[in-house]
Amino acid sequence: MSKQKIKELTTVSSLLIGGGLLLMFLSYYWGTSFGEIWLESNLSSEINDYNLLVTTFVRNFVIIGSILFGSGVLMGVLSYLHFVYSMEKVHPTNMEAGAIEVKQ
């Protein structure tokens, strides 16, 4: 794997992790904001509908953020493992090269 591909995977992984954390931590703020926008457009709605809608928005943001965060971490770990495995193929360790000396 080239260094350019590793940089690209690291960038994408970091963006996924950052976006996921942002969605998870700001889910309450964005959920209530979208709920207030909905409430302003539907003036004849009840408070129970508003509470249900805000709860649904918050949960959706947490779920989407968790999926993005998990996929970013998974991509980072897999790209790291692929990098380490490909480096072992290029530079084998002494054990794999058969250079073990036995002292008697």
Side-chain angles (χ1 to χ4, degrees):
M1 183 179 282
S2 68
K3 289 187 178 184
Q4 181 65 26
K5 288 289 184 187
I6 293 171
K7 284 183 180 179
E8 290 173 0
L9 284 174
T10 304
T11 303
V12 170
S13 176
S14 300
L15 288 175
L16 285 174
I17 290 171
L21 287 175
L22 190 72
L23 281 174
M24 284 191 296
F25 288 128
L26 296 178
S27 63
Y28 183 76
Y29 172 74
W30 286 341
T32 54
S33 295
F34 284 141
E36 289 173 2
I37 291 170
W38 177 83
L39 187 62
E40 289 174 359
S41 65
N42 298 326
L43 295 175
S44 63
S45 60
E46 295 182 16
I47 193 69
N48 290 333
D49 294 337
Y50 170 75
N51 288 336
L52 180 65
L53 193 71
V54 167
T55 304
T56 303
F57 278 133
V58 169
R59 287 181 183 165
N60 286 342
F61 282 122
V62 169
I63 290 170
I64 293 169
S66 299
I67 290 170
L68 288 176
F69 178 76
S71 62
V73 168
L74 182 66
M75 182 184 291
V77 167
L78 290 178
S79 63
Y80 173 75
L81 290 176
H82 181 70
F83 173 72
V84 169
Y85 181 69
S86 66
M87 292 305 287
E88 283 185 5
K89 281 186 174 179
V90 174
H91 304 290
T93 60
N94 287 338
M95 290 180 118
E96 293 172 350
I100 300 175
E101 295 180 17
V102 179
K103 293 184 180 182
Q104 293 182 356

